[in-house]
Amino acid sequence: MEKLVSAELLSIASDIEVSLKDAFNLRSIDLQQSIRLTQDILSRCEANNFEDLKIAAKTQLGLFYLIQGEFDIAMNYSNESLQYFHKRNNIKGIADAKYNIGSIYYRTNKYHQALLLLLDCLLLYRVTNDFYNEARTLKSMGTIYEYFNDQEKAIESYEKSIAACREIGEEALESNALNPLSAIYFKQGKEELAVETIERSVALKMKTKDVRGLAFALYGRAKILIKKGFYKKAIIDLEETVRIHLNVGDKLGLGMAYNKMGLAFMETDDKENARHYFLLAVEISSAFKVQIVLFKVYYNLYQLARKESNAIQALDYLEKCLSIKEEVINKENYNLIKSYEAVTKIENLEFEARKQQEKNEIIEGKNAELDSFFYRISHDLKGPISSLLGLNSIVKMDVVDETSLRLFSMYHSQIMRVNDIVMGLINLTEIKNTEKLKKIIDFEKLVDECFESCRYLPQFDSVIIEKKIQNFQFKSEWAIINTILQNLIENAVKYSRSQEVSFVRVNIYLEDQMVKIAVEDNGQGIAEADQQNIFNMFFRGTHRTQGSGLGLYILKRAVERLNGTIHVTSNVDIGSTFLVELPA
Ligand code: ADP
């Protein structure tokens, strides 16, 4: 029954995952529908308690509202996601949320913060080999470098983005980077290359049926057409751009397109239409605070008023243009310097990170070898150890001589030690390598069983057991939770002191979406100098009691496997408390 329920849940979860992707892909064709679908998915996640998926849906909503220009809502969703994923140490989640926030910043003129966040994302996406998002981030960074007028860095970013896209055959995304790149080529006087590049961008958008992207590609082509003096052709492209943006709901794109429409009409001397589109551009860009478009529109309106010899209006528009421009540029000039310092720092970090990653890969390879070595050796030793233990009990039945019996009992306890080590190693390799089925953990029962299995310890009878276990549902890998509790409880009993009242207190509760397992004793305690070593392999703080020095090392690996943390507070001759925190 248990298996059935979880199989069913798993299939609902994978269904939701697919729907989430579908809603994401639909964004370029019908953003409103994408939002509706994702909101629907959000309710399904809430109904089924799928925390990770719920937050992934919120991140996605953040992105959609960002495209729609509703930055406050987008920011709320993305911040919530970021906090959640930080807690979970979920790198992809953190990067996605940061990407959203970075994009919000650059669309609201905070290029400096945007660049820093996007660099962060880039690093995270690289570490996870996520080429798609790496390409997306590089493209956005290119845009910011352009705002900073750093064409060289912009070209470098776009070209890196294109290379990443080609690596994975991501043509729609490749088109996104080709588009601004063509504009830079044009500015640099490489007209032919510019036209070739923008045509490829448009063609890729058509091929991939990315409608929203097509609007931007057409806009890019219109810009070049205007510069080359083909105004009618430009207007046709822009009309299509506007139509798509209106359909999809992209406010930033719409403001930009209206502005260029106005410009194309102004160039053909159609002042009526020019004013009409400029004013539409003002309306939409001020409503959504897109200053970078707004000051360009005011500049165009100023030119138009001049053409109409309307000096007062011309002056008014010029003033507006300059004050917004100053506001944007001055602030950015200052931040620019700070950004660039940070960029070089981060680029160095990036280099370090890559070197570290290579090192990690080598270490991982070695670890894997070591793991399989441990696994083989320990399994091969299991058989002979059982035989030795068996032989020992046979010998005990036949031997009556006291001295021999004493020697055999010592021999027995040494084999038991070897057995402990071997079983520990088997446990360790299993923790690392096998994904266990998740089930609801009955902490009451599990804690009782752990104490029960400590009966063999000589200290057991003199220890008072106290349990305080909150009633809540927690699904996890039973074997791993068992390893954690077993090690903590066994140590707490084993390292008790002979005194009037020895206790072991187990407290398990839910707090801040974390399952907390605290095991407290008033035993021997751990010297401060030893506290940093106790989680190391084979470290033993004392030889008064028997042990393999593997328990806490295994425990730590088990906790890490569940993305949790472990802390110890301890004082010699007073006692120790181990606190394990696991994401609920
Ligand atoms: P082992 O118990 O086999 O020696 P562990 O890895 O479980 O190995 O523990 C490492 C060391 O940490 C122990 O040798 C002991 O010195 C110390 N230790 C662990 N738990 C406790 C505890 N509850 N109280 C006092 N010392 C402890």
Side-chain angles (χ1 to χ4, degrees), residues 386-528:
S386 307
S387 310
L388 286 174
L389 286 170
L391 278 174
N392 183 59
S393 46
I394 295 172
V395 166
K396 264 189 355 201
M397 284 192 282
D398 283 352
V399 175
V400 278
D401 173 52
E402 281 289 319
T403 322
S404 308
L405 269 176
R406 201 159 43 79
L407 288 172
F408 271 116
S409 139
M410 283 163 72
Y411 160 85
H412 177 256
S413 79
Q414 290 309 314
I415 305 175
M416 282 309 287
R417 271 200 69 195
V418 178
N419 190 48
D420 273 357
I421 296 174
V422 168
M423 294 316 279
L425 289 176
I426 290 177
N427 193 346
L428 183 64
T429 43
E430 280 179 351
I431 283 176
K432 281 191 179 169
N433 300 325
T434 36
E435 174 85 21
K436 310 254 177 349
L437 194 74
K438 285 188 179 179
K439 60 186 217 173
I440 290 173
I441 307 294
D442 181 347
F443 277 114
E444 278 289 347
K445 189 161 167 252
L446 190 54
V447 169
D448 285 346
E449 283 168 5
C450 289
F451 274 113
E452 204 40 51
S453 67
C454 291
R455 253 184 209 290
Y456 78 96
L457 290 168
Q459 302 86 338
F460 184 79
D461 288 328
S462 50
V463 165
I464 297 170
I465 297 169
E466 293 176 29
K467 292 182 305 172
K468 201 162 133 202
I469 299 171
Q470 209 184 59
N471 194 12
F472 60 89
Q473 278 228 339
F474 176 53
K475 223 169 177 192
S476 190
E477 293 171 61
W478 183 89
I480 308 284
I481 301 287
N482 180 47
T483 300
I484 296 173
L485 277 167
Q486 182 68 45
N487 279 305
L488 288 179
I489 290 175
E490 197 172 307
N491 279 348
V493 175
K494 196 161 79 175
Y495 296 108
S496 64
R497 269 178 300 148
S498 33
Q499 57 185 318
E500 237 168 65
V501 195
S502 287
F503 65 76
V504 174
R505 279 187 195 131
V506 178
N507 188 5
I508 303 177
Y509 54 101
L510 194 66
E511 191 179 81
D512 298 335
Q513 296 209 28
M514 299 296 271
V515 173
K516 305 205 173 174
I517 301 175
V519 177
E520 182 189 352
D521 63 58
N522 61 345
Q524 300 171 15
I526 305 161
E528 209 176 324

Side-chain angles (χ1 to χ4, degrees), residues 491 494-495 521 525-526 534 539-542 547-549 551-552 576 578:
N491 279 348
K494 196 161 79 175
Y495 296 108
D521 63 58
I526 305 161
I534 53 175
F539 178 86
R540 304 218 55 224
T542 168
S548 61
L552 289 182
S576 315
F578 286 82

Side-chain angles (χ1 to χ4, degrees), residues 30-255:
D30 187 345
L31 186 65
Q32 298 312 319
Q33 181 64 2
S34 290
I35 293 182
R36 272 193 296 276
L37 284 177
T38 311
Q39 252 148 4
D40 195 48
I41 290 169
L42 190 62
S43 329
R44 279 167 68 199
C45 293
E46 272 161 2
N48 287 294
N49 276 335
F50 294 148
E51 268 312 296
D52 275 13
L53 279 172
K54 183 175 101 184
I55 303 294
K58 288 194 174 182
T59 314
Q60 193 155 302
L61 278 172
L63 178 73
F64 295 159
Y65 281 107
L66 146 78
I67 296 173
Q68 238 188 196
E70 298 190 44
F71 300 125
D72 290 343
I73 307 180
M75 192 58 118
N76 282 343
Y77 276 127
S78 311
N79 268 331
E80 187 184 337
S81 308
L82 184 60
Q83 274 172 19
Y84 175 86
F85 287 128
H86 260 307
K87 250 195 200 154
R88 298 248 157 172
N89 222 351
N90 178 331
I91 304 226
K92 159 122 180 79
I94 295 175
D96 288 349
K98 281 194 172 181
Y99 179 84
N100 280 1
I101 298 173
S103 305
I104 296 171
Y105 279 150
Y106 94 68
R107 284 167 184 234
T108 49
N109 316 317
K110 294 175 188 139
Y111 309 120
H112 153 73
Q113 286 110 307
L115 192 59
L116 292 182
L117 272 174
L118 291 177
L119 268 162
D120 254 8
C121 293
L122 189 65
L123 230 64
L124 296 175
Y125 287 136
R126 280 206 179 137
V127 174
T128 49
N129 279 332
D130 184 344
F131 286 109
Y132 175 82
N133 281 309
E134 187 183 329
R136 232 169 122 214
T137 312
L138 280 164
K139 149 76 181 49
S140 297
M141 284 171 61
T143 317
I144 300 179
Y145 286 128
E146 275 200 77
Y147 287 149
F148 287 156
N149 259 326
D150 187 338
Q151 290 188 351
E152 236 162 77
K153 267 212 170 291
I155 292 183
E156 192 189 315
S157 281
Y158 292 140
E159 283 177 347
K160 277 189 192 164
S161 170
I162 291 167
C165 289
R166 290 191 179 154
E167 188 95 23
I168 48 167
E170 189 42 69
E171 295 183 319
L173 207 54
E174 180 185 335
S175 162
N176 289 356
L178 287 168
N179 184 350
L181 190 58
S182 80
I184 304 184
Y185 287 153
F186 196 89
K187 270 189 212 154
Q188 293 181 333
K190 302 173 190 156
E191 286 196 19
E192 218 168 292
L193 184 59
V195 171
E196 210 176 279
T197 310
I198 194 66
E199 286 300 351
R200 178 166 165 76
S201 172
V202 173
L204 284 179
K205 284 296 178 193
M206 288 188 168
K207 183 175 166 201
T208 54
K209 299 199 170 60
D210 171 2
V211 184
R212 180 173 160 259
L214 178 63
F216 281 100
L218 291 173
Y219 173 84
R221 188 164 74 182
K223 259 176 28 181
I224 291 184
L225 287 170
I226 291 175
K227 286 197 179 124
K228 292 183 75 141
F230 300 127
Y231 304 118
K232 292 246 154 57
K233 277 189 179 168
I235 288 172
I236 295 173
D237 274 354
L238 288 169
E239 274 169 350
E240 183 60 8
T241 306
V242 166
R243 197 189 62 76
I244 297 173
H245 282 322
L246 281 172
N247 257 347
V248 175
D250 191 320
K251 308 292 193 304
L252 173 73
L254 197 57

